[in-house]
Amino acid sequence: MWSRYGDVIYDDKTHTFTFKLHLYGNIDYEFMVNGGENRGFKDISGNPAQKYVWKISTGSS
Amino acid sequence: MILTALALLLSGTNLLCAPMDGRILVLNFECSGVANGYSDAIGDSLRSHIVKLGGQVVSHNLFEQLIRSRGKTESDLNFMPDEIKSILPQLNGQGAVYGQVYMSHGMLTMDMKYIEGNLPAPIIINPFVVGNLKDLYNVIPEAAYIILSPDKESPSVISVSPSDNSDKLDEYLDMKISFSEPMNPETFSLKAKPARCGAAMVM
């Protein structure tokens, strides 16, 4: 239903990750940072990021 | 937070912002390469700078007596965080700093870790990488400041793009996630769930 392509780029000045996604049309998606068992994102001291969830929708293809 | 601390230090700002209340145990780091033999001197310098900044350190003599009574050496303890945690209450210490100084790719590297009794794992402080021993002594004041303000705060997402509830988006997207503080780029791990089928996957 989706895929990530290309590299993940991290900007250490703005603490921002940038990446590309290919999603399917006319679908609602929910994205989650460090929710549930997904505890990946950590700061440089090893502290895991707080959970964050957001939703987006694609248009008709 | 660590970078902020460094920026404050380098800008010459008065550093006594919020020093740690409790006493800190600072081990003599395990030293190798050109730093071999400087373990005591580096440890003494670090403890001295922590005190200059208003921090309190555990008596190193008391610590040495205690580990001798346990049949351990200070060198051993630099690799045994659980052992360090177990002796902190006896020394009335809040936390401990330990680590190694070694040569890597021709550069002198000082790895520091901070542990407290209630922390599940040590906080890994970004290593100091310098050219030689003289440069290492020059960064010890910065190291002391960082030790007094260890980063225990969880980072949070401050913005995402496309933003929450964006709709009618194209199938090919550039996505951005910004955090409140410097992140380890190797920990990228995002979960996505198409709402209609419910299959969650990590990418």
Side-chain angles (χ1 to χ4, degrees), chain B residues 42-111:
Chain B
I42 292 169
D44 287 344
S45 178
L46 193 50
R47 285 185 285 274
S48 163
H49 280 286
I50 287 172
V51 171
K52 276 184 193 168
L53 291 171
Q56 301 176 63
V57 294
V58 168
S59 158
H60 201 254
N61 286 338
L62 196 61
F63 163 68
E64 285 179 322
Q65 287 171 25
L66 184 61
I67 57 173
R68 267 199 299 272
S69 72
R70 289 184 171 211
K72 297 277 192 313
T73 68
E74 189 161 10
S75 180
D76 294 336
L77 260 66
N78 274 298
F79 301 94
M80 303 168 74
D82 287 337
E83 187 79 18
I84 297 172
K85 280 165 73 170
S86 74
I87 64 172
L88 279 173
Q90 286 177 265
L91 295 165
N92 194 22
Q94 177 181 343
V97 177
Y98 62 102
Q100 293 89 39
V101 180
Y102 56 92
M103 293 298 292
S104 176
H105 302 288
M107 301 294 282
L108 197 55
T109 302
M110 180 167 73
D111 276 345

Side-chain angles (χ1 to χ4, degrees), chain A residues 2 10 15-17 19-21 23 26 28 30 32 38 40-43 45 47 50 55 57 59 61, chain B residues 151 155 164-166 168-169 171 173-175 177-179 181 183-184 187 189 191 193 195-196 203:
Chain A
W2 52 264
Y10 176 69
H15 322 147
T16 299
F17 291 90
F19 50 97
K20 293 178 184 296
L21 291 181
L23 306 174
N26 205 25
D28 300 331
E30 181 181 275
M32 188 182 292
N38 178 31
F41 283 101
K42 290 178 180 172
D43 67 15
S45 297
N47 300 308
Q50 296 171 33
K55 293 176 183 176
S57 303
S61 51
Chain B
D151 180 6
D164 190 22
N165 292 319
S166 295
K168 298 178 183 172
L169 294 169
E171 295 174 25
L173 289 177
D174 285 339
M175 186 168 270
I177 308 173
S178 297
F179 287 88
E181 60 174 291
M183 300 296 288
N184 178 348
T187 63
S189 173
K191 191 186 232 180
K193 184 169 72 174
R196 293 182 191 175
M203 53 183 157

Side-chain angles (χ1 to χ4, degrees), chain A:
Chain A
M1 300 295 278
W2 52 264
S3 60
R4 179 170 63 79
Y5 65 100
D7 295 329
V8 175
I9 298 167
Y10 176 69
D11 181 340
D12 57 6
K13 289 179 184 164
T14 60
H15 322 147
T16 299
F17 291 90
T18 304
F19 50 97
K20 293 178 184 296
L21 291 181
H22 176 207
L23 306 174
Y24 278 52
N26 205 25
I27 299 279
D28 300 331
Y29 287 91
E30 181 181 275
F31 292 90
M32 188 182 292
V33 165
N34 288 17
E37 295 175 1
N38 178 31
R39 304 288 292 171
F41 283 101
K42 290 178 180 172
D43 67 15
I44 55 176
S45 297
N47 300 308
Q50 296 171 33
K51 179 182 174 183
Y52 185 86
V53 178
W54 74 106
K55 293 176 183 176
I56 61 172
S57 303
T58 50
S60 303
S61 51

Side-chain angles (χ1 to χ4, degrees), chain B residues 24-43:
Chain B
I24 305 166
L25 168 65
V26 181
L27 277 69
N28 289 339
F29 290 9
E30 175 74 13
C31 291
S32 61
V34 297
N36 192 22
Y38 286 86
S39 187
D40 287 358
I42 292 169

Side-chain angles (χ1 to χ4, degrees), chain B residues 1-13 15 142 145-146:
Chain B
M1 186 172 173
I2 287 174
L3 292 182
T4 305
L6 271 177
L8 282 172
L9 179 82
L10 296 173
S11 68
T13 307
L15 302 177
E142 298 170 26
Y145 184 82
I146 290 170

